[in-house]
């Protein structure tokens, strides 16, 4: 057997598909295992673009490959450079068909989720009965009975948390969880969460310290979801810290992101265990037997899913005996980019559900005269107005952006144009009152309103914004 034939036989015997692509991402080699899985003969795939197998997926982010007959299958793969010495000729893809494994994982997750749902109702009844006993509805309890009821109540609460965590992971992984992103002052959010832990940290003789900058750009996140991530990480830190926990926040090295850290001086985590840390039901360092905290092993898995839903990353840095440092990144608030992203998402949802969607733009027409020499003061007031509008005039599903210095843009799902006009009038009055009061204006600020609906007025993000701004310029919808 020649050297070339031997190499080909080895590649064909591997239980993995191998595809080589040139620098123009055209196929230049396929082993027989890949031919069999894909249903493409070698001679038909050679010189074809790799996009033939990916459809509209990006090469390094594909989760499916497509066969010749059009069927897709789940894949896991890695790509390495195709080198001859130091010269790069393209890359090699080694892939595995993981359809069966993915199907089994999905069935397992569905079973766990369904079981958790079924346990909810009887557990609620049991909790109600225990509360009645604790409240003395069935008569006064003896000390022994009280202790038994309190023990039972504590275990029921633990079971309830387990069920809720399982359901939360299921919702996040299935894509059914709704993430409501907003502009969030991350420093204030961290401070609020950490304030809940000062007492318990003091009781454990643990120093809890915030190492936060005076200023930090706003984040574009679901505040409740990020709060849950912080709670999970702080609870973990409290279980393992010896004397100290500290929380950090700073701009990330990745442009457009912020980085948060929760660090402790505990036992640390071995390198070989760190890869399993964010898996479901994974618990490390818990003492065997009855001693030690018996958690659900879902807290870090939930953190991972929430951060991933924000296009961020979460990881741990640790050495045994030197504590653990958990970091995660979140997107920085960028009104122009985030507005377009949110509008595209809500347009897709409106199309799927067949519900109306309205866009309302409120422009401060005499911005320069209102601004005068009060630039920084005006900016602070406008930020405050933005927060007040969100709290007092909008629903949780509604979104508000400062598109430019002087334009407020509201995205109003499940709202016809008439309803958007009513909301815009209310918001316009609030803006006027705040500006007049806080800037001591003699003349009312001039506000103009432009309202468009999807898909009646436009069917693209750019066109919706264009039509709204055109209507403002023409004076349509002016409400002053």
């Amino acid at each position: 057997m020649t050297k070339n034939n031997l190499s080909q036989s080895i590649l064909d015997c591997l239980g993995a598909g191998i595809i080589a692509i040139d620098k123009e991402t055209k196929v230049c080699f396929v082993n027989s295992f890949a031919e069999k899985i894909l249903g493409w003969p070698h001679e038909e795939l050679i010189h074809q673009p790799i996009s033939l197998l990916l459809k509209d997926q990006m090469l390094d982010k594909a989760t499916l490959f497509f066969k010749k007959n059009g069927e897709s299958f789940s894949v896991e793969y890695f790509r390495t450079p195709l080198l001859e010495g130091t010269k790069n000729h393209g890359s090699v893809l080694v892939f595995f068909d993981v359809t069966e494994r993915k199907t089994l994982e999905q069935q397992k997750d569905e079973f766990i989720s369904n079981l958790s749902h079924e346990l909810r109702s009887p557990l609620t009844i049991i909790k109600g009965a225990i509360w009645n006993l604790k409240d003395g509805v069935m008569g006064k309890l003896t000390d022994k009975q009280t202790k038994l009821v309190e023990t039972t109540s504590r275990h029921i609460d633990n079971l309830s948390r387990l069920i809720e965590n399982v359901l939360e992971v299921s919702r996040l992984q299935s894509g059914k969880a709704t993430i409501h992103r907003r502009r969030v002052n991350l420093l204030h959010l961290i401070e609020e969460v950490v304030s809940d832990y000062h007492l318990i940290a003091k009781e454990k003789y643990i120093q809890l310290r915030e190492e936060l900058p005076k200023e930090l750009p706003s984040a574009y996140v679901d505040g409740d979801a990020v709060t849950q991530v912080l709670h999970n990480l702080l609870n973990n830190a409290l279980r393992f810290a010896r004397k100290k926990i500290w929380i950090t926040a700073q701009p990330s090295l990745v442009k457009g992101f912020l980085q948060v850290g929760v660090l402790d001086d505990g036992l640390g985590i071995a390198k070989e265990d760190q890869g399993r840390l964010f898996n479901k039901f994974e618990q490390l360092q818990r003492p065997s037997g009855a001693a030690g905290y018996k958690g659900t092993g879902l807290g870090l898995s939930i953190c991972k899913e929430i951060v991933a839903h924000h296009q961020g990353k979460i990881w741990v840095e640790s050495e045994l005996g030197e504590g653990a440092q958990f970091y995660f990144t979140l997107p920085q608030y960028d009104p122009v980019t985030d507005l377009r992203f949110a509008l595209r998402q809500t347009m897709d949802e409106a199309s799927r559900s067949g519900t109306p969607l309205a866009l309302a733009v409120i422009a401060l027409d005499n911005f320069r005269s209102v601004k005068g020499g009060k630039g920084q003061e005006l900016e602070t007031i406008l930020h405050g107005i933005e927060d007040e509008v969100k709290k007092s005039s909008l629903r949780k599903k509604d979104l508000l952006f400062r598109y430019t210095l002087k334009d407020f843009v509201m995205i109003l799902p499940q709202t016809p144009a008439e309803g958007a006009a009513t909301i815009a009038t209310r918001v316009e009055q609030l803006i006027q009152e705040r500006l007049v009061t806080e800037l001591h204006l003699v003349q009312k600020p001039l506000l103009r309103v432009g309202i468009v609906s999807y898909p009646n007025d436009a069917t693209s993000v750019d066109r919706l914004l264009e039509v709204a701004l055109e209507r403002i310029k023409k004076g349509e919808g002016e409400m002053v």
Side-chain angles (χ1 to χ4, degrees):
M1 183 180 287
T2 66
K3 186 176 180 181
N4 285 342
N5 288 339
L6 178 61
S7 298
Q8 181 68 50
S9 296
I10 292 172
L11 292 174
D12 289 341
C13 288
L14 292 174
I18 301 176
I19 300 175
I21 57 177
D22 60 25
K23 289 196 287 187
E24 296 178 351
T25 69
K26 290 184 178 180
V27 177
C28 55
F29 173 83
V30 184
N31 75 339
S32 60
F33 195 87
E35 288 183 78
K36 183 179 178 181
I37 295 176
L38 296 167
W40 286 92
H42 179 275
E43 59 273 12
E44 292 185 28
L45 265 182
I46 295 298
H47 304 308
Q48 293 290 340
I50 192 65
S51 59
L52 186 69
L53 308 179
L54 307 179
K55 301 295 185 185
D56 57 352
Q57 303 173 98
M58 294 177 64
L59 177 55
D60 289 322
K61 295 185 178 180
T63 57
L64 299 172
F65 278 4
F66 289 82
K67 301 180 182 181
K68 183 179 181 180
N69 62 8
E71 292 180 1
S72 63
F73 62 96
S74 298
V75 291
E76 286 183 356
Y77 65 96
F78 59 90
R79 182 160 71 118
T80 58
L82 180 57
L83 299 174
E84 182 182 14
T86 58
K87 189 175 181 180
N88 191 333
H89 291 280
S91 56
V92 177
L93 280 72
V94 181
F95 69 90
F96 303 89
D97 182 349
V98 294
T99 304
E100 185 176 353
R101 195 190 80 201
K102 292 286 186 183
T103 301
L104 289 172
E105 287 178 354
Q106 184 179 354
Q107 290 173 347
K108 178 194 71 177
D109 291 342
E110 287 176 355
F111 171 76
I112 292 173
S113 177
N114 291 336
L115 180 61
S116 300
H117 274 293
E118 292 298 322
L119 286 171
R120 257 181 161 179
S121 295
L123 190 61
T124 301
I125 295 170
I126 294 170
K127 285 177 74 172
I130 292 295
W131 288 338
N132 286 338
L133 288 173
K134 289 174 71 174
D135 291 341
V137 173
M138 305 302 294
K140 188 175 181 180
L141 302 178
T142 65
D143 290 343
K144 190 174 182 179
Q145 289 170 332
T146 299
K147 187 175 181 181
L148 178 61
V149 167
E150 287 177 350
T151 301
T152 305
S153 179
R154 191 164 55 251
H155 284 286
I156 289 173
D157 288 340
N158 289 339
L159 182 56
S160 294
R161 278 194 295 273
L162 171 60
I163 291 172
E164 291 305 318
N165 283 340
V166 169
L167 292 174
E168 181 68 13
V169 170
S170 177
R171 283 192 294 268
L172 288 164
Q173 291 185 331
S174 68
K176 294 178 181 178
T178 304
I179 300 294
H180 296 286
R181 294 199 193 188
R182 298 284 189 278
R183 178 179 62 83
V184 171
N185 186 319
L186 196 57
L187 293 178
H188 288 174
L189 188 147
I190 292 171
E191 288 166 354
E192 286 178 5
V193 173
V194 172
S195 67
D196 294 338
Y197 289 85
H198 283 298
L199 182 59
I200 188 170
K202 188 176 181 180
E203 291 173 349
K204 289 174 171 281
Y205 301 101
I206 292 173
Q207 181 186 4
L208 181 58
R209 191 170 74 243
E210 301 162 42
E211 296 183 356
L212 305 175
K214 290 184 178 180
E215 293 184 357
L216 189 70
S218 295
Y220 184 55
V221 297
D222 184 319
D224 292 339
V226 175
T227 295
Q228 185 174 2
V229 172
L230 288 169
H231 278 305
N232 288 353
L233 292 178
L234 282 167
N235 277 320
N236 265 1
L238 280 167
R239 289 171 203 146
F240 300 115
R242 292 165 173 160
K243 294 182 179 179
K244 186 169 65 173
I245 297 171
W246 58 105
I247 297 89
T248 65
Q250 62 193 41
S252 171
L253 295 176
V254 179
K255 186 178 179 181
F257 282 81
L258 305 172
Q259 180 176 304
V260 181
V262 177
L263 301 78
D264 67 67
D265 63 348
L267 297 174
I269 304 164
K271 292 288 185 186
E272 60 268 23
D273 291 332
Q274 291 176 18
R276 298 159 34 216
L277 201 57
F278 297 95
N279 295 341
K280 287 184 293 185
F281 304 109
E282 197 70 60
Q283 298 185 69
L284 305 179
Q285 301 177 328
R286 195 188 83 185
S288 59
Y293 174 82
K294 291 181 173 62
T296 63
L298 289 170
L300 291 177
S301 179
I302 290 173
C303 291
K304 178 183 176 182
E305 293 295 333
I306 290 174
V307 171
H309 273 66
H310 287 86
Q311 289 75 52
K313 289 180 64 178
I314 185 168
W315 70 96
V316 63
E317 298 176 4
S318 181
E319 297 284 349
L320 275 178
E322 297 183 13
Q325 299 87 47
F326 285 88
Y327 297 101
F328 62 96
T329 58
L330 297 169
Q332 185 174 319
Y333 180 67
D334 178 343
V336 175
T337 302
D338 295 337
L339 167 61
R340 292 175 177 275
F341 177 81
L343 187 51
R344 191 173 296 111
Q345 278 194 323
T346 51
M347 286 164 61
D348 291 342
E349 178 58 32
S351 295
R352 285 193 297 269
S353 61
T355 55
L357 170 65
L359 187 73
V361 180
I362 301 178
L364 181 54
D365 204 42
N366 56 341
F367 178 75
R368 288 185 179 179
S369 61
V370 170
K371 182 179 178 182
K374 304 176 180 179
Q376 188 57 49
E377 183 183 356
L378 176 60
E379 183 61 26
T380 302
I381 292 170
L382 290 174
H383 270 306
I385 290 173
E386 188 178 349
D387 291 336
E388 186 175 344
V389 169
K390 290 175 183 176
K391 291 177 182 177
S392 65
S393 301
L394 300 182
R395 303 163 298 179
K396 190 170 185 178
K397 67 180 76 171
D398 300 330
L399 297 168
L400 176 66
F401 294 89
R402 292 269 307 286
Y403 185 54
T404 64
L405 286 175
K406 62 184 183 64
D407 295 334
F408 289 88
V409 180
M410 295 182 290
I411 301 175
L412 306 170
Q414 300 175 10
T415 306
E418 300 79 13
T422 302
I423 295 170
T425 300
R426 188 164 64 241
V427 173
E428 179 208 10
Q429 291 171 350
L430 189 154
I431 294 172
Q432 277 191 341
E433 290 171 3
R434 284 285 301 270
L435 288 176
V436 169
T437 302
E438 298 193 32
L439 290 176
H440 309 291
L441 299 177
V442 177
Q443 184 181 1
K444 280 187 177 183
L446 178 61
L447 299 174
R448 294 182 183 273
V449 178
I451 294 172
V452 292
S453 63
Y454 170 84
N456 298 339
D457 294 317
T459 56
S460 72
V461 171
D462 288 336
R463 189 56 188 150
L464 276 170
L465 291 168
E466 285 173 6
V467 173
L469 294 173
E470 285 169 6
R471 290 183 175 176
I472 287 173
K473 289 176 182 177
K474 291 178 182 178
E476 293 181 37
E478 184 177 339
M479 297 183 180
V480 179

